[in-house]
């Protein structure tokens, strides 16, 4: 891979934005403001050059797998399309939030097996680094062998503890955001024979390709296995810890919940559901993740804490794409426009911090010796930003030229 120098851009460095030339060689950033030495030159004038983004949790790939309820697309086709979307949105490292549930269909262990297998097969053809976040539903005991297999794979996954079973059977009078500790024996539970509970389960039944009545029967049977869950969590956490995988807990509602999952190795609180548990996570030194769509839209669609407020208050370290890949860049743009923080500090939320939380110390910053995962952004003052180039380990993963720019910014040979 020939050397290249990107010149003229406003470069997002760890502590400032500066006009420096960035040299890329052998897939790495080899220098800042060094001699060209025969390298080809990419003209970045009028653009912003930043580290490519690292997505700690994204499940938008599910819309490629199942674009309509019950309509499944071949796994390889869906993942190739997902890879293209990631590159076009400046995401060079993605952890696909792969739900491993006892539900049939899209979020089943069978679908998870297919995705893990397809990603391994497709790896030489993918443009960016596609990893998985094993978004494990803790009542799904049959997923444990797949977790073991994935942890032994070439690209170490993350493990996220999810409990949508307990959230599903929660009594309707108990607010989701402040529900008790999930393993509390006194947890208020809904009447699972009621018409209201059946209505609540209808969307999940459709996603699973089941009748509502059959789904209710299934979730009741899973709830009967609740006493087995803590041992399964301990087993999965121990295996992930042995492998050195990052661990997360999802939708924490109590400090006790955060303490419980931290005791099993999960030092990342993903989408904490109220300010109190968020503060508890901060006091314990945990990483805190919120959804980029929350920040880009100006609030949560579930009534959880506003990501922008959390960023401003020092209670958010990472923004994840969640369900919409473009949201990471859009969130940074909105937070910058609102004066929440400087661009260099905001960019850490989508690059350096998720990389560090996931143990990826080779990327996330523009500095010599780091991977050349870079994005060149067309970002006129007062306008939304757009990705024009995405490099993944120095390779061109995405390149697009706006009609109005013509050939103003070509890759050119040195004079």
């Amino acid at each position: 891979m020939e050397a290249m120098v990107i010149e003229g851009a406003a470069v997002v460095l760890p502590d400032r934005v500066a006009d420096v030339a960035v040299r890329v060689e052998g897939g790495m950033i080899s220098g800042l403001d060094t001699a060209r030495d025969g390298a080809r030159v990419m003209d970045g004038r009028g653009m912003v050059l930043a580290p490519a983004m690292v997505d700690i949790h994204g499940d938008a790939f599910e819309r490629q797998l199942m674009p309509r309820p019950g309509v499944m697309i071949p796994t390889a086709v869906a993942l190739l399309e997902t890879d293209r979307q990631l590159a076009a949105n400046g995401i060079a490292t993605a952890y696909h939030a792969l739900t491993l549930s006892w539900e049939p269909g899209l979020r089943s262990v069978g679908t998870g097996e297919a995705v893990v297998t397809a990603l391994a097969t497709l790896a030489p053809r993918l443009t960016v680094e596609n990893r998985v976040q094993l978004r494990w539903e803790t009542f799904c005991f049959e997923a444990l062998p797949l977790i073991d297999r994935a942890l032994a794979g070439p690209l170490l996954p993350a493990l996220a503890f999810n409990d949508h079973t307990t959230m599903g059977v929660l009594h309707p009078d108990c607010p989701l955001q402040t529900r008790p500790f999930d393993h509390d024996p006194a947890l208020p539970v809904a009447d699972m024979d009621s018409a209201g509970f059946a209505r609540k389960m209808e969307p999940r039944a459709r996603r699973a390709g089941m009748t509502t009545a059959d789904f209710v029967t299934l979730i009741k049977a899973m709830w009967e296995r609740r006493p087995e869950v803590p041992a399964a969590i301990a087993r999965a956490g121990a295996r992930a810890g042995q492998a050195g995988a990052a661990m997360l807990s999802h939708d924490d509602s109590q400090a006790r919940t955060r303490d419980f999952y931290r005791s099993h190795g999960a030092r990342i609180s993903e989408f904490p559901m109220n300010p109190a548990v968020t503060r508890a996570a901060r006091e314990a030194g945990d990483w805190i993740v919120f959804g980029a769509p929350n920040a880009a839209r100006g609030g949560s669609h579930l009534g959880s804490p506003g990501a922008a407020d959390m960023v401003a208050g020092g209670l958010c370290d990472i923004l994840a794409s969640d369900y919409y890949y473009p949201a990471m860049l859009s969130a940074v743009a909105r937070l910058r426009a609102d004066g929440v923080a400087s661009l260099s500090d905001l960019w850490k939320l989508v690059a350096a911090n998720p990389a560090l939380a996931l143990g990826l110390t080779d990327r996330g910053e523009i500095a010599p010796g780091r991977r050349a995962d870079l994005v060149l952004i067309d970002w006129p003052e007062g306008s939304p930003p757009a990705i024009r180039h995405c490099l993944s380990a120095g390779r061109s993963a995405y390149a697009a030229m706006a009609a109005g720019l013509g050939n103003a910014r070509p890759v050119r040979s040195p004079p």
Side-chain angles (χ1 to χ4, degrees):
M1 189 181 300
E2 66 176 319
M4 177 175 65
V5 175
I6 305 171
E7 293 183 346
V11 180
V12 181
L13 298 172
D15 59 348
R16 67 192 190 283
V17 176
D19 182 2
V20 298
V22 178
R23 185 182 177 90
V24 173
E25 196 166 3
M28 307 294 288
I29 298 170
S30 59
L32 302 180
D33 276 343
T34 57
R36 290 180 180 176
D37 289 337
R40 65 191 180 110
V41 177
M42 178 180 286
D43 190 344
R45 285 176 295 176
M47 303 246 189
V48 172
L49 182 69
M53 288 175 275
V54 177
D55 189 9
I56 198 169
H57 174 118
D59 59 31
F61 74 97
E62 289 186 338
R63 287 199 293 277
Q64 276 70 259
L65 284 170
M66 185 185 283
R68 287 186 176 180
V71 178
M72 294 293 290
I73 299 298
T75 305
V77 174
L79 293 176
L80 285 167
E81 171 57 24
T82 296
D83 178 68
R84 287 190 287 267
Q85 291 189 20
L86 292 167
N89 284 288
I91 300 168
T93 306
Y95 282 71
H96 300 302
L98 181 66
T99 302
L100 305 176
S101 175
W102 46 262
E103 300 178 26
L106 177 65
R107 294 186 165 182
S108 66
V109 175
T111 298
E113 288 268 11
V115 170
V116 169
T117 300
L119 283 175
T121 302
L122 291 170
R125 299 181 59 198
L126 300 175
T127 61
V128 302
E129 191 167 282
N130 287 250
R131 298 188 180 222
V132 293
Q133 181 203 87
L134 299 166
R135 190 183 183 192
W136 174 51
E137 292 294 340
T138 57
F139 281 68
C140 185
F141 310 106
E142 64 269 30
L144 293 172
L146 175 57
I147 291 172
D148 290 344
R149 174 187 156 201
L151 288 169
L155 291 178
L156 187 65
L159 176 66
F161 298 100
N162 285 245
D163 187 355
H164 289 117
T165 307
T166 299
M167 292 169 70
V169 304
L170 189 68
H171 194 281
D173 292 341
C174 182
L176 188 66
Q177 284 77 15
T178 56
R179 70 190 186 280
F181 173 52
D182 292 336
H183 302 286
D184 187 337
L187 183 97
V189 177
D191 177 0
M192 287 183 255
D193 293 318
S194 68
F197 184 76
R199 284 193 298 272
K200 181 180 177 180
M201 293 299 107
E202 281 177 9
R204 292 179 66 168
R206 284 197 302 271
R207 184 177 64 204
M210 303 176 70
T211 66
T212 300
D214 285 346
F215 189 88
V216 169
T217 298
L218 179 58
I219 196 171
K220 288 166 70 174
M222 297 310 303
W223 186 244
E224 291 297 318
R225 300 188 66 180
R226 188 188 187 203
E228 303 172 52
V229 172
I233 290 171
R235 177 194 183 281
R239 293 293 179 88
Q242 291 164 5
M247 286 180 266
L248 314 85
S249 60
H250 184 79
D251 288 348
D252 297 330
S253 61
Q254 298 290 332
R256 184 181 174 190
T257 309
R258 182 84 284 278
D259 292 344
F260 173 78
Y261 286 110
R262 187 188 307 110
S263 73
H264 289 290
R267 297 308 307 262
I268 306 171
S269 180
E270 180 178 74
F271 312 146
M273 301 202 79
N274 59 69
V277 71
T278 307
R279 288 191 293 270
R282 171 56 69 241
E283 290 167 4
D286 298 330
W287 294 97
I288 302 170
V289 182
F290 280 99
N294 178 326
R297 294 175 60 251
S300 168
H301 68 289
L302 293 175
S304 296
D309 293 337
M310 297 296 101
V311 172
L315 294 172
C316 173
D317 306 302
I318 297 165
L319 291 173
S321 77
D322 198 2
Y323 53 86
Y324 187 58
Y325 296 133
M328 295 178 76
L329 181 57
S330 296
V332 170
R334 177 162 184 166
L335 294 170
R336 181 193 185 200
D338 290 346
V340 172
S342 68
L343 180 57
S344 58
D345 284 340
L346 291 172
W347 205 266
K348 291 181 175 69
L349 301 171
V350 295
N353 288 354
L356 287 172
L358 292 162
L360 303 175
T361 57
D362 62 342
R363 67 198 74 183
E365 291 184 350
I366 295 180
R370 298 298 178 97
R371 268 175 55 125
D373 290 354
L374 300 166
V375 285
L376 196 60
I377 309 167
D378 176 18
W379 200 342
E381 190 65 35
S383 297
I387 303 294
R388 292 300 175 212
H389 293 274
C390 177
L391 300 181
S392 177
R395 293 175 290 99
S396 178
Y398 174 78
M401 183 65 69
L405 292 176
N407 293 317
R409 295 179 178 88
V411 174
R412 55 186 171 83
S413 299

